[in-house]
Amino acid sequence: MNNHQNSQPWPSESSLIGLLDDDSDVIRNALKSLFKQHVDKAQVFLNKVSKGNSLTAKHAKVLQESMGWTNGKETFLHFIRSQRYELESGWLLLDKTVFPSFDSAVTSLALDALADRARQLIVSPMDVRQQCYVINRVLFHENSFRGAGKDFENPDNSFIHKVVESKKGLPITLSLIYILVARRIGLELDPIGLPGRFMVGCFLEKVPFYIDVWAGGRFIELDDMNSYLGLSVDECSGSLLLPVTIAETLARGCRNLAHHYSIKGKHEEALMFRDFVTEFEKTLKSEPNAS
């Protein structure tokens, strides 16, 4: 028989809550077996029940931990408040707020593989721009990463592990992947949070240049940025074209998710990401130079 034929039906919430309070190993193992067959429903159920300080909530938290489904929301809030920010691990924690069971190691290994391919194509002596052209080739030509056009409002476009799988993303997630691949080959590129467009900045030469991932890795010179983006000279002469912090980058990702979930009518998820934005804003006010 196949797994579908062997699958147990999903019981009522009230009966599951009654079973959560049973300390029997037999019942616990039966619950784990059921949850493995209904992962999505089980995660929603445990996330709901684990809120609060009741004995049932504590049992739900224990089961979450034993299944490897930690409370992504609480973990991410702790990360925000810790102010110990790192771009890759922070974004993977953001992904786990909605997809707690995904394996972050798989995503990191996929980024490693992209960087390994770039290393194969880099020949000494290549300057910074030539190395960026190699990253362009690996991401946009060999692996067909691209902007999510018609499907722009899909929240999946804001989760790095989903973008690595689908090869479609928003400017911010495509920029993130570009930066993380670049860092793996020794290039320190930076996130640039422009109004209406997120880009990659390179400040490793005397004059910085920019990479528009939404346009397939197009290089934009500093002097051309105002006309390219329709910005005034004054806007381009200020801090707008300087790197943004990790906190600002993650907060922008959360704003996108709050907006996109709201459009989808998923108000609980939208509220969660608005709460994250509020936490980041508190942190940015108290530690304006945190990165």
Side-chain angles (χ1 to χ4, degrees):
M1 287 187 179
N2 58 34
N3 289 336
H4 179 73
Q5 290 172 314
N6 285 327
S7 179
Q8 299 170 261
W10 183 251
S12 68
E13 186 171 302
S14 59
S15 62
L16 280 174
I17 289 174
L19 292 172
L20 278 178
D21 289 333
D22 193 317
D23 289 328
S24 164
D25 287 340
V26 173
I27 296 298
R28 285 299 166 93
N29 290 332
L31 280 174
K32 288 181 183 179
S33 176
L34 175 69
F35 291 167
K36 287 177 182 177
Q37 294 173 32
H38 302 275
V39 173
D40 292 340
K41 290 180 179 178
Q43 289 176 350
V44 171
F45 168 73
L46 288 175
N47 280 336
K48 179 180 179 182
V49 177
S50 64
K51 297 173 182 176
N53 297 312
S54 68
L55 184 60
T56 302
K58 291 177 182 178
H59 285 158
K61 290 174 184 176
V62 169
L63 265 174
Q64 280 182 317
E65 291 175 2
S66 67
M67 299 291 292
W69 301 341
T70 54
N71 189 319
K73 178 178 179 179
E74 292 302 319
T75 302
F76 193 61
L77 281 171
H78 177 75
F79 166 79
I80 297 172
R81 293 163 182 164
S82 74
Q83 300 183 22
R84 294 190 293 271
Y85 300 143
E86 196 277 324
L87 188 61
E88 182 170 342
S89 59
W91 211 283
L92 291 172
L93 286 175
L94 183 151
D95 282 27
K96 282 185 176 290
T97 61
V98 175
F99 302 97
S101 63
F102 97 91
D103 188 349
S104 57
V106 172
T107 302
S108 292
L109 288 171
L111 295 171
D112 290 345
L114 293 168
D116 288 342
R117 174 56 180 155
R119 285 192 200 93
Q120 291 175 355
L121 298 172
I122 292 173
V123 179
S124 182
M126 276 189 172
D127 62 23
V128 171
R129 289 179 182 243
Q130 289 171 322
Q131 291 182 60
C132 288
Y133 277 122
V134 168
I135 297 174
N136 281 358
R137 171 178 166 175
V138 172
L139 292 183
F140 305 117
H141 299 287
E142 294 186 0
N143 287 278
S144 301
F145 279 90
R146 62 196 184 281
K150 294 180 180 179
D151 200 29
F152 189 87
E153 305 291 352
N154 188 336
D156 282 0
N157 297 324
S158 289
F159 298 110
I160 183 174
H161 80 287
K162 288 290 189 180
V163 176
V164 168
E165 290 173 4
S166 70
K167 307 293 192 296
K168 295 187 301 180
L170 302 181
I172 190 169
T173 41
L174 293 174
S175 294
L176 172 65
I177 289 170
Y178 200 108
I179 289 167
L180 295 178
V181 170
R183 289 181 179 178
R184 280 165 162 78
I185 64 172
L187 283 182
E188 284 294 324
L189 303 181
D190 293 291
I192 306 296
L194 297 159
R197 178 67 61 90
F198 211 93
M199 297 176 73
V200 175
C202 179
F203 295 83
L204 300 173
E205 298 182 338
K206 288 185 178 180
V207 178
F209 66 92
Y210 301 85
I211 302 163
D212 188 353
V213 294
W214 190 253
R218 182 175 178 180
F219 285 23
I220 314 297
E221 303 304 324
L222 177 61
D223 290 342
D224 298 327
M225 282 292 282
N226 59 340
S227 59
Y228 184 72
L229 296 169
L231 301 173
S232 69
V233 175
D234 288 340
E235 286 176 312
C236 281
S237 63
S239 62
L240 195 63
L241 297 182
L242 295 178
V244 291
T245 66
I246 294 172
E248 290 167 331
T249 302
L250 285 163
R252 183 156 170 171
C254 291
R255 287 190 191 92
N256 290 339
L257 281 161
H259 175 64
H260 293 154
Y261 273 121
S262 181
I263 289 174
K264 295 290 183 182
K266 295 187 175 183
H267 302 297
E268 185 175 344
E269 289 87 348
L271 178 60
M272 177 177 71
F273 284 103
R274 282 196 289 269
D275 287 344
F276 293 154
V277 172
T278 299
E279 286 296 325
F280 273 120
E281 288 174 346
K282 290 178 184 176
T283 299
L284 290 169
K285 286 178 183 178
S286 62
E287 294 287 343
N289 297 316
S291 62

